[in-house]
Amino acid sequence: MRRFVLALALLGVLVPVTAATVPAFAHEHPSGITDLVTPAVVRVEAKARVDITLLDHVGELVHVERSYDVPIGVGTGTVVNPDGAVVTLTRVVKTDKDVAVYAANKIFAEHHKVKIPEDFKRHTLKDHQLNHHLQECYPPKLPTATCIIDITTEVRVFPNISRPDEEGFKAEITRVGDKPDSPAVLVPVGRADASAGLPTAPLAAQVPDKDSWPVAVAGFTGRPAPNLPETVDIGHLTAGGAGEGGRKFKDPENKVDEPRKLGALVDRGLLGGPVIEDKKGEVVGLLVGGGEDGRMIGVREVTKALAEAKVTARRGPIDAAFEQALTRFHTHYYGDAVPAFQRVLDLYPGHVLAAAHLKTSQQKRGTAEDEGAKKADAAAHHTSAGLPLWPFLVAGGVLVLAVLAGAFLLWRRRGTEEEAEEPPPFEPRPVPRVTPPDEVPDATVVVGRSFPALPRTNTAPGQPGGPVLVARDPGAGPVTKETGTGESGTVVQKYCTACGMRLGPAHRFCGYCGHPTEA
């Protein structure tokens, strides 16, 4: 019953407090649409490692060995699952230029001291013999080749974390497209940034087909750093599907040349960056093109490339925690957002956006901008000033009645239990009989038993007949009874004054209770 009463009291306290503190989140997704995607945006850099050996036999045979890192492409990628799978464009990680030609030009110019541009074109020399050897160095490899060339592609991904990763992590190419602007899929090699994986971006099911649909684009113009955050800009899609040719951008008010603006961002490093839909904050495509023509390939091409690479796009625990924190942050419940962002940083300590929003939430917590604090203050003010007193009096009376009823029920229950558990009346056990040494063998001694003294009986001398009772004090000796007269004289029968047991003429103690027969 005590637990019942405590539960009633606690319920009466918690219900109004909970109703006042739980925020009414009105949005399924936060208003900052790019916040869901930008933590998953990464910088992608690809280069070819060319190991070349020049066989110089113009004079004496000499082997000249060199290694060159030839840039292939740079751009932006998007992480699509916690394991670190990245989607970008094919031309970011694959080039149509022949890096073997570049290495041949470079090693010939260095070793033979001739002027050959460091480019991807085949050149000729005025010296007939050197030109012959240069042409034999260019691919394809022939039996008379003067160069042995080995090429490996190295791709590095630089995540968007608070302490910049200067080395990034290696990734291998699992799928490239037939065209430069086709999606490419990368898979990390050897390491993950946290036990919970990496932040990911949500992929939309389809591209909005309405004209002038608002979107945002995001990416990096260099390796992520405190002084080089992600670049975010806005755009508007034209009507129709995307396809491999790409979907164009157009400002509905014709104030900005969006194809030129976004094409310039492509050239600066946003090539392959995510295009983010305005309503739900999901990725609807990748940024392609360049120069004066920025376009978008749709999410259908992205999901097709992932399926061909056997990579599944999915969200992780970091994303779930971050989206909950963003909901609180963008609805201005800063007090509730603080522990939510701390949870995100526990899962992924390098989360740049979570750290920034946590700092803002801590600064605004409890201020006039905090919706949670305002609602709590309004509820407290309304309770103290506007509400009448009688509801509280009624509630208090109900609570008192509940306590009294509980106490009464507990009292009744205990009384019933005591009656049910009352022990049966005491019944004395028979005491084993002890035979004193001076009694006959069949005599019995009972210890611890007491009876009232019997009255003493007597008869008139010489008169037979019924006995006369004579009162005696307990302990004054045996009670005697004359049973008759005869030739041998008067026969006197003795009885124990304690228990009334008949005694023999030689008994000094009662054989039943052990009382002495003489005072």
Side-chain angles (χ1 to χ4, degrees):
M1 182 56 66
R2 181 178 299 174
R3 293 180 180 175
F4 174 74
V5 174
L6 290 176
L8 285 176
L10 184 61
L11 182 62
V13 173
L14 288 181
V15 168
V17 173
T18 304
T21 56
V22 174
F25 300 127
H27 302 285
E28 182 180 356
H29 293 276
S31 58
I33 58 169
T34 61
D35 288 353
L36 289 176
V37 177
T38 51
V41 178
V42 295
R43 169 80 168 181
V44 180
E45 297 180 1
K47 63 181 180 181
R49 179 85 174 181
V50 183
D51 297 321
I52 183 171
T53 301
L54 173 63
L55 305 177
D56 178 15
H57 48 81
V58 175
E60 295 182 358
L61 181 60
V62 177
H63 290 187
V64 181
E65 298 180 354
R66 295 285 190 275
S67 293
Y68 303 113
D69 290 331
V70 183
I72 293 178
V74 293
T76 298
T78 306
V79 180
V80 294
N81 68 23
D83 298 331
V86 176
V87 174
T88 186
L89 294 183
T90 296
R91 61 179 162 129
V92 174
V93 295
K94 180 182 177 182
T95 180
D96 55 356
K97 299 176 180 178
D98 196 337
V99 295
V101 172
Y102 174 90
N105 291 335
K106 192 171 179 65
I107 196 172
F108 242 80
E110 292 176 353
H111 179 66
H112 291 289
K113 308 300 180 183
V114 293
K115 292 183 178 181
I116 302 177
E118 294 182 7
D119 56 18
F120 299 90
K121 298 180 180 179
R122 297 172 182 261
H123 299 278
T124 57
L125 298 175
K126 294 180 179 181
D127 188 309
H128 177 73
Q129 187 176 17
L130 287 179
N131 183 63
H132 175 74
H133 285 275
L134 175 60
Q135 302 307 318
E136 293 292 332
C137 186
Y138 288 142
K141 184 179 178 180
L142 301 173
T144 58
T146 56
C147 292
I148 300 174
I149 302 174
D150 182 30
I151 302 173
T152 56
T153 301
E154 181 178 303
V155 179
R156 287 197 171 269
V157 177
F158 297 87
N160 184 15
I161 56 179
S162 57
R163 291 186 178 180
D165 189 349
E166 296 181 356
E167 296 183 0
F169 60 86
K170 289 184 178 180
E172 62 182 10
I173 303 170
T174 59
R175 191 266 187 194
V176 291
D178 298 331
K179 299 180 179 180
D181 286 338
S182 299
V185 181
L186 314 176
V187 175
V189 177
R191 83 171 177 90
D193 279 18
S195 59
L198 296 174
T200 70
L203 299 182
Q206 60 183 6
V207 180
D209 56 358
K210 294 182 179 179
D211 190 30
S212 301
W213 193 270
V215 292
V217 295
F220 286 98
T221 59
R223 294 182 181 180
N227 58 348
L228 187 60
E230 70 275 2
T231 298
V232 178
D233 210 331
I234 61 173
H236 299 83
L237 295 173
T238 58
E244 293 185 358
R247 188 165 170 179
K248 295 183 178 182
F249 295 93
K250 183 180 180 181
D251 182 8
E253 298 180 357
N254 294 321
K255 294 181 179 180
V256 179
D257 187 353
E258 289 189 356
R260 180 188 295 273
K261 178 185 72 172
L262 297 179
L265 290 176
V266 168
D267 296 339
R268 291 174 54 196
L270 270 66
L271 177 66
V275 179
I276 308 165
E277 193 264 342
D278 180 70
K279 301 300 181 183
K280 296 182 179 180
E282 297 175 337
V283 177
V284 294
L286 303 181
L287 189 61
V288 300
E292 297 181 357
D293 186 19
R295 290 170 285 110
M296 181 198 78
I297 60 169
V299 70
R300 253 181 297 184
E301 284 70 34
V302 175
T303 54
K304 179 182 177 182
L306 290 172
E308 293 176 355
K310 298 181 180 180
V311 173
T312 303
R314 58 186 174 87
R315 306 279 276 161
I318 300 174
D319 311 307
F322 185 56
E323 186 164 354
Q324 292 178 2
L326 282 180
T327 303
R328 289 159 173 79
F329 180 80
H330 287 295
T331 51
H332 308 297
Y333 284 85
Y334 299 110
D336 298 319
V338 169
F341 283 124
Q342 288 173 341
R343 170 60 178 163
V344 177
L345 292 174
D346 290 340
L347 294 173
Y348 191 70
H351 205 293
V352 176
L353 206 53
H357 287 340
L358 173 61
K359 183 177 180 180
T360 303
S361 299
Q362 290 173 334
Q363 294 172 348
K364 295 184 177 182
R365 178 174 53 182
T367 65
E369 298 181 62
D370 190 348
E371 291 292 334
K374 288 196 294 185
K375 287 185 179 296
D377 293 342
H381 178 72
H382 183 66
T383 301
S384 60
L387 291 181
L389 186 60
W390 67 267
F392 299 96
L393 296 177
V394 172
V398 172
L399 184 60
V400 171
L401 290 177
V403 172
L404 294 177
F408 176 75
L409 292 176
L410 180 61
W411 174 74
R412 286 288 304 275
R413 182 177 179 181
R414 288 183 177 176
T416 305
E417 291 177 354
E418 290 177 357
E419 291 178 1
E421 296 178 0
E422 183 177 356
F426 175 76
E427 295 183 2
R429 297 182 179 179
V431 181
R433 184 174 179 178
V434 180
T435 304
D438 55 349
E439 283 194 0
V440 293
D442 59 348
T444 303
V445 177
V446 179
V447 181
R449 185 145 177 203
S450 63
F451 293 89
L454 295 177
R456 184 175 129 185
T457 63
N458 198 0
T459 58
Q463 293 184 2
V468 178
L469 298 177
V470 180
R472 291 289 302 273
D473 295 332
V479 177
T480 62
K481 180 178 73 171
E482 296 178 0
T483 59
T485 58
E487 296 179 357
S488 58
T490 301
V491 179
V492 180
Q493 175 63 53
K494 297 182 179 179
Y495 294 89
C496 178
T497 60
C499 67
M501 185 70 181
R502 181 181 295 181
L503 303 176
H507 285 177
R508 290 181 295 171
F509 297 91
C510 177
Y512 186 75
C513 68
H515 193 77
T517 61
E518 296 180 2

